[in-house]
Amino acid sequence: MTDSARPSRSGLESKLTFYKRLTVGLAILCVLLGLAVIAPLANGGEAVAHPEPSASATSSASEIASREEDDYAAVGDIDAPVALVQWTDMRCPYCAAVHRETIPAIIDEYVDKGLVRLEVRDVSFFGEQSENAAVAARAAGTQGKFFEYLDVVYEAAPENDHPDLPREKLISFAEAAGVPDLAQFTADLDDPALREAAQQSTTDAQRLGVNAVPFFVAGDTALSGAQPLSVFRDFLDQALEKAE
């Protein structure tokens, strides 16, 4: 490796600090939920070692998932053997990548076959615009367009940066997503109940120790990062085996 290709000392120190903080967050989650981390996030979401799930785990996604019939942020059979809970921030580039590249395959291979129910939880880790986007997704969800809204937001996201999401862009996304009543959507952006719900979702995630996104829980195992599809398949297959 040439000197120009080597990361700077400050860059390495920043990465090490990030990984240490992430490890602490994942450890807290594992303690609180009895979950084993199958694939910690590293190198911007690239795969790392995949330890076996803990055989002594006592809590599972069944204790986190709502399985509510009218949950607009969920897709799949309410009685599916496995509930997959996903935490996502609409300004997170890795959340955008996993939504574009992996979630469609999970829906096709697991959700549509009645094996997995996907429940999405918004978090606001990247400032006020993240929270505004979470409110906007919820506003779209009240009109039955939650996932369509996520599709548009993440399709427009830059590859390796946090997108700028001003109010006018959130409204244009709603139009592109086919939200039927744009006037109502715009009004709902100022709905204090939707904002409080978005804030509570972030608080709940932090209480569980979810400090990095995307983050997933299925069965008694947690998975962090925009991992390859093969990792998600192993992750879900193990959860399904335990659910039998």
Side-chain angles (χ1 to χ4, degrees), residues 9-199:
R9 180 180 179 85
S10 61
L12 287 173
E13 289 174 347
S14 297
K15 287 187 176 181
L16 288 173
T17 300
F18 173 76
Y19 298 153
K20 288 177 181 177
R21 290 177 179 174
L22 176 58
T23 300
V24 171
L26 296 179
I28 292 171
L29 181 64
C30 292
V31 170
L32 291 175
L33 303 180
L35 297 172
V37 179
I38 189 171
L41 177 64
N43 299 324
E46 295 176 3
V48 294
H50 311 306
E52 291 298 319
S54 170
S56 61
T58 58
S59 298
S60 69
S62 63
E63 299 178 23
I64 305 172
S66 65
R67 290 189 183 265
E68 294 177 358
E69 191 70 52
D70 59 351
D71 184 358
Y72 56 68
V75 60
D77 189 340
I78 196 171
D79 296 318
V82 168
L84 174 64
V85 182
Q86 174 191 4
W87 285 267
T88 190
D89 185 311
M90 272 157 277
R91 297 192 69 224
C92 164
Y94 302 127
C95 296
V98 80
H99 185 88
R100 292 191 304 258
E101 301 165 12
T102 307
I103 294 299
I106 290 175
I107 291 176
D108 180 58
E109 298 177 21
Y110 294 91
V111 175
D112 288 347
K113 294 180 180 178
L115 300 173
V116 170
R117 173 178 172 83
L118 172 64
E119 297 189 2
V120 178
R121 308 287 171 83
D122 57 68
V123 293
S124 305
F125 288 166
F126 300 107
E128 184 179 0
Q129 286 194 352
S130 285
E131 184 174 296
N132 292 342
V135 172
R138 289 171 177 267
T142 62
Q143 298 193 45
K145 295 293 184 178
F146 179 82
F147 285 96
E148 290 85 350
Y149 196 82
L150 291 191
D151 289 344
V152 173
V153 171
Y154 285 138
E155 186 61 35
E159 289 293 330
N160 299 304
D161 200 2
H162 305 297
D164 186 34
L165 299 177
R167 184 183 180 93
E168 58 270 20
K169 186 174 288 187
L170 297 177
I171 295 172
S172 70
F173 286 156
E175 184 175 10
V179 174
D181 190 338
L182 289 177
Q184 183 62 54
F185 173 87
T186 303
D188 285 343
L189 293 179
D190 300 313
D191 185 339
L194 290 182
R195 186 163 298 275
E196 182 179 354
Q199 293 170 344

